[in-house]
Amino acid sequence: MPPQPPQTQPQVRRNIHKFLQSLLGIIRILQILFGAGLWITIAANKYEGSIHFVLFVAVLFWLLTLALFFVTLLDKQDLVPVLGGHRWLGTNLAHDVAAASLYLPAIGIMINKTDRNSYCNLDQYKLYCLYKVYLTAAVFSCLCCLAYLLSVIYGACRKCRGEQSVI
């Protein structure tokens, strides 16, 4: 790859700093961290049944959010066919609505699993129990959903104002 002209590099750095300091950039970082915390918590332990759905939602939206984050960070929205360019804010908004709506049943599943295993939260209970794992996953699910809901509100406000840029 040939070296870039000196004028372009400062512009790229400015765009990166601008995005990382924006509200959406901070929310995206939180979504990535909370999503990783959720799927690592689940994947590191035994899981079964409906937990597969929670793991699917966590990994799917973690990967999609990571992709949106890096495309926006590098300011390459125009290179995304059909969804990029002037549609990028709407694409981000649709992603966040889908994530928030799928995290809601994931929260319900994790709360149900936590409640069903609450009997083994006693100090006298010596057998292996997933109560703390389910509780941690439920907290991460709630934090993920909250981060996506914040992003939905932020994106919807910007869309209503007629803005087209994510940053």
Side-chain angles (χ1 to χ4, degrees):
M1 179 179 205
Q4 295 190 4
Q7 299 100 358
T8 308
Q9 288 178 348
Q11 179 64 29
V12 171
R13 280 199 191 111
R14 260 192 305 257
N15 287 342
I16 289 173
H17 287 293
K18 187 177 176 185
F19 177 64
L20 290 178
Q21 292 173 351
S22 71
L23 181 62
L24 184 62
I26 293 167
I27 292 172
R28 287 281 184 242
I29 291 170
L30 290 175
Q31 291 166 349
I32 291 167
L33 292 175
F34 294 150
L38 174 60
W39 73 260
I40 289 171
T41 300
I42 293 172
N45 295 283
K46 276 178 41 179
Y47 59 93
E48 44 73 39
S50 56
I51 301 291
H52 288 94
F53 174 76
V54 179
L55 189 60
F56 168 74
V57 169
V59 172
L60 174 69
F61 284 106
W62 183 78
L63 290 171
L64 289 174
T65 303
L66 206 58
L68 286 176
F69 176 77
F70 281 115
V71 169
T72 308
L73 180 70
L74 299 174
D75 200 25
K76 299 296 181 185
Q77 303 89 288
D78 295 332
L79 299 178
V80 179
V82 180
L83 303 173
H86 66 280
R87 296 184 190 108
W88 192 245
L89 183 60
T91 300
N92 278 269
L93 187 57
H95 165 266
D96 295 335
V97 167
S101 62
L102 286 177
Y103 265 109
L104 288 173
I107 291 170
I109 290 168
M110 293 315 306
I111 289 174
N112 183 35
K113 289 287 191 179
T114 304
D115 189 43
R116 291 169 113 194
N117 286 285
S118 62
Y119 64 88
C120 64
N121 193 27
L122 303 171
D123 290 332
Q124 296 83 12
Y125 195 83
K126 300 299 180 199
L127 299 175
Y128 182 71
C129 180
L130 291 174
Y131 173 77
K132 291 180 182 177
V133 171
Y134 291 152
L135 183 62
T136 304
V139 169
F140 274 125
S141 296
C142 290
L143 291 172
C144 283
C145 189
L146 180 64
Y148 282 108
L149 285 173
L150 284 173
S151 187
V152 166
I153 293 168
Y154 178 71
C157 288
R158 293 192 64 168
K159 190 80 171 158
C160 286
R161 282 189 254 144
E163 296 179 30
Q164 292 187 5
S165 171
V166 174
I167 301 175

